[in-house]
Amino acid sequence: MANFYLDNPSLKHHLQHPMMKRIVELKERNYADKDKFDYAPVDFEDAMDSYDKVLEIVGEICGDIIAPNAEGVDHDGPTVTNGRVTYAPGTQQNLEAVRKAGLMGIAMPRRYDGLNFPIVPYIMAADLVARADAGFENLWGLQDCAETLYEFGNEDQHKRYIPRVCAGETMSMDLTEPDAGSDLQAVMLKATYSEKDGCWYLNGVKRFITNGDADIHLVLARSEEGTKDARGLSMFVYDKRNGGVNVRRIENKMGIKGSPTCELVYRNAKAELCGDRKLGLIKYVMGLMNGARLGIMAQAVGISEAACREGLAYARERKQFGKAIIEFPAVYEMLALMRAKADASRSMLYETARFVDMYKALDDISKERKLTPEERTEMKYYGKLADAFTPMGKGITTEYANQNAYDAIQIHGGSGFMKDYACERLYRDARITNIYEGTTQLQVVAAIRHVTTGTYLNRIREYETMTYKPELEYLRKKLVNMTNKYEKLVAKITEPKDNEYLDFHARRLVETATHCVFGYLLLQDANADDSFRRSAEVYINYGQAEVNKIESYINDFSIEDLGFYKA
């Protein structure tokens, strides 16, 4: 009997972060639900105990059902017949297990039959599910679309749709089209309002839609005739029960094969407006995408964790030249860095989740009452940090997931290239994480303004001033040195006021900031729990070397050198 929550002590470490007390108090409105729902917590300790118990259930389902099914699901995949999708048998079993356990709608309010969990324990469950099967995490994790519906839909929509999600119905976000990938303002799916019956109707094609035959869809469509930009787009809710949307085909993908990626055809599909017209992309999809990016971070962390464990297990059992290969420096260095990257990624995931929790809880309260000046300042502060850390985290944790999956295969040698070992599937599953919901390059575009405006530097300096144990001071000094270099590099690149020069080096500046942030987060982990010290030491040494390389490259580069790279 495996339990993916209990066998990973780092999860409880992150769940017990000091910020959780404030987060839970805000989410629970000082435990106002205790008199209305028998499963609502009465205080902070009761809430934390509830999260712990639910995560233990998630860990058990992951270890005993989802992970053992992963190979079969990867082999069988979903099928489509007469416009409808049938999940692989293992996927159906997984869905039944999480539905019976009440693990849908985890973050939704209790009045809609949800568990009212903060983002942190919800994302922790996603981390666990992704470690078991990254493809299934896509299906299960799309319940996050209900958060967007809750945030921007009306009360009638809340009452009709959210309880269905909490009961186990699935969701999808239908954004991409054949001619509109990352450039969503090019979306042309047409939304037409019928004065006769007071309804909206959708016509057109969507492509690369994860779980495209879902029960409830959030759809980006062009509601304003004659427009060609983002101002003509609105968001709609489509209910599969009403018909009008068929699956033309399921994409034959490299990885995450249990998750059906569909091409959808809309033919006079009845839908309803979600929120206000013209704000579909400008406001609602941006909120939806940020939530999805946090989910992809969790997926990446789960894959990184699985890759570390697969590599370590094989290195311990595989013998060459009379000893286990883990005893060779080339291998144990690889394993140590894999673990450090996985731990750093997880620390970033939960730091970001805490920022999102703080912002969303206060934003939700602001719809019920006027915030105090202190609360408004707090909401603005954490909203800015959530906006900054999401692209940085999504960009780098997914790159690390790919690197860890790559190294897991390398440790296995030729055996890792065979489907007999899970690392082959992990490698294929990891590859999409730094592509969908915005490629790493697009995350850099989103992150660079937080480099130039000082958001990252200010937060890093806050980390710098925290109190650390004397035995960790030498690591803090390395991070201070890295931060000083980062500050100088930002000044050097921004001083000429040349946008092309800045864009060219944007990735290097974001990566430098990332190494400082990740290093400090691991230092804080090691400060609270000595089991993280090895990862902190390994990662900070690695980050220091990477920053030195970036510094050397930028210092030896002139604006005139840009010409070498142009076609």
Side-chain angles (χ1 to χ4, degrees):
M1 297 281 287
N3 190 303
F4 283 13
Y5 177 62
L6 297 180
D7 74 1
N8 189 352
S10 70
L11 294 168
K12 289 197 178 190
H13 163 81
H14 289 293
L15 185 63
Q16 293 162 358
H17 190 277
M19 269 182 70
M20 285 301 293
K21 191 168 183 63
R22 175 66 172 154
I23 288 168
V24 176
E25 286 172 354
L26 291 172
K27 184 70 176 179
E28 290 293 342
R29 310 293 196 269
N30 288 317
Y31 311 100
D33 272 1
K34 65 180 183 295
D35 300 322
K36 303 174 190 174
F37 302 91
D38 59 7
Y39 62 98
V42 299
D43 55 25
F44 175 68
E45 289 71 23
D46 192 24
M48 294 297 287
D49 184 61
S50 176
Y51 306 153
D52 189 63
K53 283 182 167 59
V54 169
L55 286 166
E56 189 172 336
I57 292 169
V58 176
E60 184 178 332
I61 291 172
C62 287
D64 292 345
I65 299 173
I66 299 173
N69 281 339
E71 184 179 348
V73 168
D74 183 62
H75 178 269
D76 299 335
T79 56
V80 59
T81 306
N82 297 325
R84 300 275 69 86
V85 169
T86 300
Y87 295 124
T91 302
Q92 295 177 40
Q93 186 183 0
N94 295 345
L95 280 169
E96 184 64 19
V98 295
R99 283 167 178 158
K100 281 185 176 179
L103 300 176
M104 302 292 281
I106 286 180
M108 289 295 97
R110 293 184 186 89
R111 64 183 180 275
Y112 303 124
D113 302 331
L115 296 180
N116 201 52
F117 275 22
I119 298 294
V120 168
Y122 163 61
I123 285 296
M124 198 164 283
D127 177 353
L128 290 166
V129 173
R131 174 185 155 193
D133 181 356
F136 183 69
E137 199 279 324
N138 273 0
L139 303 185
W140 179 84
L142 276 165
Q143 63 178 279
D144 190 55
C145 292
E147 179 74 26
T148 300
L149 188 57
Y150 172 69
E151 195 169 349
F152 302 117
N154 58 45
E155 182 60 25
D156 177 56
Q157 289 169 334
H158 294 168
K159 289 177 179 177
R160 286 186 292 116
Y161 292 114
I162 296 177
R164 288 170 55 185
V165 177
C166 294
E169 292 195 24
T170 59
M171 295 195 74
S172 71
M173 50 180 184
D174 302 3
L175 309 179
T176 307
E177 296 181 8
D179 295 318
S182 297
D183 184 15
L184 287 176
Q185 66 178 348
V187 159
M188 294 306 294
L189 186 89
K190 190 173 183 180
T192 307
Y193 186 73
S194 170
E195 297 286 353
K196 182 179 178 182
D197 54 12
C199 290
W200 288 90
Y201 291 92
L202 307 178
N203 285 278
V205 176
K206 291 286 185 182
R207 193 182 182 200
F208 296 150
I209 306 305
T210 301
N211 198 34
D213 199 23
D215 300 296
I216 303 164
H217 302 228
L218 293 181
V219 187
L220 184 65
R222 189 159 298 280
S223 58
E224 313 308 309
E225 195 164 352
T227 62
K228 292 185 179 179
D229 60 10
R231 290 169 292 184
L233 298 170
S234 301
M235 180 173 281
F236 296 87
V237 185
Y238 163 74
D239 187 344
K240 182 178 173 181
R241 296 174 181 177
N242 292 328
V245 178
N246 282 317
V247 179
R248 179 183 284 169
R249 69 187 183 116
I250 296 175
E251 303 291 346
N252 186 14
K253 307 191 299 289
M254 175 191 290
I256 55 168
K257 286 179 169 288
S259 165
T261 302
C262 305
E263 184 171 303
L264 305 178
V265 179
Y266 284 75
R267 290 193 178 93
N268 287 327
K270 185 178 177 182
E272 53 189 281
L273 186 67
C274 179
D276 297 321
R277 288 172 68 164
K278 304 180 184 181
L279 296 180
L281 180 58
I282 296 169
K283 184 176 182 181
Y284 308 144
V285 169
M286 289 301 101
L288 180 64
M289 291 285 279
N290 272 340
R293 285 166 180 166
L294 190 63
I296 301 306
M297 285 173 65
Q299 187 177 51
V301 170
I303 292 171
S304 278
E305 182 68 34
C308 282
R309 288 171 181 259
E310 291 294 326
L312 179 62
Y314 188 83
R316 282 174 170 165
E317 70 180 33
R318 176 64 169 162
K319 288 185 168 53
Q320 291 280 275
F321 309 105
K323 58 183 178 180
I325 63 172
I326 196 171
E327 297 183 41
F328 295 103
V331 176
Y332 67 63
E333 180 199 15
M334 202 181 303
L335 285 165
L337 187 54
M338 287 170 69
R339 172 46 60 196
K341 287 176 179 176
D343 285 347
S345 296
R346 182 170 282 112
S347 296
M348 182 63 171
L349 171 65
Y350 295 119
E351 181 81 329
T352 308
R354 289 188 289 269
F355 296 157
V356 174
D357 255 327
M358 289 294 295
Y359 169 75
K360 281 189 175 289
L362 288 163
D363 181 59
D364 200 27
I365 291 171
S366 73
K367 297 169 186 174
E368 302 167 5
R369 64 166 173 82
K370 186 176 180 181
L371 297 179
T372 66
E374 293 79 14
E375 288 173 331
R376 190 157 292 282
T377 299
E378 195 176 23
M379 183 177 77
K380 185 177 179 181
Y381 174 73
Y382 286 110
K384 187 175 185 179
L385 285 175
D387 191 51
F389 273 51
T390 297
M392 173 188 276
K394 197 277 181 185
I396 306 302
T397 62
T398 58
E399 292 293 332
Y400 283 173
N402 275 270
Q403 292 168 21
N404 276 3
Y406 179 99
D407 284 345
I409 286 184
Q410 195 70 13
I411 289 168
H412 281 70
S415 297
F417 197 65
M418 308 302 160
K419 290 186 178 291
D420 300 17
Y421 290 89
C423 61
E424 184 271 343
R425 171 173 51 82
L426 293 173
Y427 184 73
R428 289 185 287 106
D429 286 351
R431 191 61 189 90
I432 189 62
T433 60
N434 55 354
I435 297 174
Y436 62 7
E437 309 307 339
T439 62
T440 302
Q441 289 70 31
L442 282 177
Q443 302 311 309
V444 168
V445 171
I448 190 61
R449 66 189 176 92
H450 294 289
V451 170
T452 57
T453 58
T455 307
Y456 295 132
L457 181 62
N458 291 338
R459 185 61 182 174
I460 293 165
R461 294 300 188 194
E462 288 179 29
Y463 293 146
E464 183 182 309
T465 60
M466 293 178 181
T467 302
Y468 299 97
K469 294 174 181 177
E471 59 266 32
L472 298 176
E473 180 61 20
Y474 78 103
L475 291 176
R476 191 189 75 86
K477 286 181 178 177
K478 287 185 178 183
L479 288 167
V480 170
N481 181 256
M482 288 162 59
T483 306
N484 291 339
K485 289 184 177 184
Y486 166 64
E487 188 172 18
K488 289 176 182 177
L489 290 175
V490 173
K492 179 179 177 66
I493 297 300
T494 55
E495 187 179 3
K497 297 189 178 350
D498 185 306
N499 287 335
E500 188 177 16
Y501 184 54
L502 173 62
D503 290 345
F504 184 81
H505 286 297
R507 178 177 58 82
R508 280 170 275 276
L509 295 180
V510 171
E511 285 181 1
T512 305
T514 301
H515 291 310
C516 297
V517 169
F518 281 28
Y520 269 115
L521 292 177
L522 278 175
L523 187 63
Q524 290 171 47
D525 291 337
N527 201 49
D529 185 338
D530 196 57
S531 68
F532 288 95
R533 182 163 176 174
R534 179 169 173 263
S535 282
E537 290 171 335
V538 170
Y539 189 88
I540 291 169
N541 283 340
Y542 166 75
Q544 181 178 244
E546 292 298 304
V547 169
N548 288 341
K549 283 198 302 187
I550 291 169
E551 178 189 42
S552 176
Y553 185 90
I554 289 177
N555 285 339
D556 290 341
F557 195 97
S558 68
I559 293 180
E560 290 73 24
D561 292 338
L562 285 173
F564 301 152
Y565 294 86
K566 295 178 182 179

